[in-house]
Amino acid sequence: MASSLSASSFRLYMDLRRLSSLFMTTMVVAVMTSCSEGQMVPAAFVFGDSVVDVGNNNHLLFSIAKSNYPHYGVDFAYSEPTGRFSNGKIPSDLVAEKLGLPSPPPYLSIRHIWQNINKNVSKLGFGFGSIPLTGLNFASAGCGVLKNTGSIFGVHISLEEQVDYYAKVYSTLLKLRGYDRTENIVSKALFLVVIGSNDMLNYYDSDSLREKFAPQDRSNQTASKLVELLERLYAYGARRFALTGLPALGCAPARRLHVKNQECDEELNSMCDAYNRMLKPMLQQFKSKHKGVSYTYFDAYTFFLDVINNASHYGFSETKAACCGVGELEAEFLCTPFSDYCEDRNKYMFFDRIHPTEAMYRHVVDAIIDGPSKYVAPMNIRKLVSGHAS
């Protein structure tokens, strides 16, 4: 077959084979490891910041928001640092695991393949519409909802750019599968969006921004932009969304450093809470406006405070200090290869100065998937994907 193809068509053919092999391999690995539950959705697409970035920033030469070095990944497979900002798995891995899917791979690791397919697929007459697609991860550490957020970290992928990348994938799927088959995938897929913390911290730490914008104005600007980008995802077939509010950022080790008695920064927490209260009715309006939309909103703020106030119930003995870092509370700098790190990561809420441990993330994902209305509204993810959405 290959001998009858032009060089460019043969490269396209091989890219399609590689893409198919990638998703088939990850599906087999998922089935053999921790995906004990049946596959609940056809795919999961992930957008956001370092909480859900599985390695996209590794492919950005001029980004300093990277964690592809020890001791990140110390509890991941083969103790490998993959670009995840934790000791092990992160929410994008764990949500996929609960849904019976492999963890969606970082888009930038296979972008060249998608670009080649999108550019040349019309030249081939082969039926590659059966390529298994179980999701992609577009998240980028350091990014925010607003495009200028995270500039101090160098190059990153803003949420708007992440949506742009997804739009290109959607266009390619249309060429590969046609409209009906593409819509059948994306309309039933889960779109996980975890973002906003960097926008808040960027504002909170900037005297110039705080002089220019009142807190409620900045929150409105950020929440409105987020909904605008959800509108774009809707236009490209997305119907099922899982979104998280801001956690109590003022209780992260990095923020306790600057507060008397190492207590939480209540001013920052108040701003996070106010942003969440502004976002929730916007999400309700978004759902009312668009037929077929359903969503889960996770109240990360309430959940994080509950964990801090009931630490032993969740198995934690340390909620103030980081497991790995430098200086007071191990929070004066991120975890480095030269840092000491705690022996029992399961006892720590935070792995580094801002990012939780896998143990904490597992509690978070359990709440998102099966939690009560105190934490997830209008329903948890299990109800969302099982068709209980109204």
Side-chain angles (χ1 to χ4, degrees), residues 233-361:
L233 289 174
Y234 177 84
Y236 295 117
R239 296 295 181 269
R240 293 172 169 176
F241 299 88
L243 306 103
T244 66
L246 296 185
L249 293 172
C251 295
R255 296 292 154 174
R256 290 180 182 269
L257 275 178
H258 310 293
V259 181
K260 184 178 179 181
N261 298 324
Q262 300 175 340
E263 296 300 321
C264 297
D265 183 335
E266 294 302 340
E267 182 186 5
L268 177 55
N269 278 353
S270 179
M271 289 186 184
C272 292
D273 187 37
Y275 169 83
N276 293 337
R277 292 178 186 277
M278 186 170 291
L279 176 61
K280 285 188 280 187
M282 290 187 182
L283 294 177
Q284 293 168 356
Q285 291 168 11
F286 170 67
K287 179 184 184 301
S288 302
K289 181 179 176 182
H290 296 294
K291 180 180 179 181
V293 166
S294 53
Y295 72 91
T296 293
Y297 170 83
F298 174 60
D299 187 348
Y301 185 88
T302 298
F303 187 79
F304 269 61
L305 290 181
D306 280 358
V307 171
I308 290 169
N309 293 328
N310 301 279
S312 61
H313 174 74
Y314 292 91
F316 297 125
S317 58
E318 181 57 73
T319 60
K320 288 186 175 183
C323 168
C324 182
V326 176
E328 188 177 0
L329 294 181
E330 303 295 333
E332 294 178 10
F333 198 71
L334 288 172
C335 181
T336 75
F338 309 103
S339 303
D340 292 327
Y341 62 93
C342 63
E343 183 175 342
D344 190 351
R345 272 78 67 190
N346 291 326
K347 298 295 185 182
Y348 279 69
M349 182 176 180
F350 290 93
F351 183 65
D352 68 15
R353 68 198 302 264
I354 193 74
H355 301 98
T357 56
E358 178 182 329
M360 176 59 182
Y361 280 143

Side-chain angles (χ1 to χ4, degrees), residues 179-225:
Y179 178 81
D180 289 343
R181 294 179 69 190
T182 297
E183 286 296 298
N184 191 48
I185 295 172
V186 298
S187 67
K188 297 176 182 177
L190 182 71
F191 286 73
L192 176 63
V193 183
V194 182
I195 200 159
S197 293
N198 290 320
D199 297 287
M200 178 58 70
L201 294 174
N202 187 50
Y203 171 78
Y204 188 74
D205 292 335
S206 171
D207 291 338
S208 60
L209 286 175
R210 296 184 74 167
E211 288 176 6
K212 187 175 182 180
F213 301 101
Q216 62 269 25
D217 294 334
R218 189 64 167 183
S219 290
N220 181 67
Q221 182 184 22
T222 305
S224 297
K225 183 64 177 180

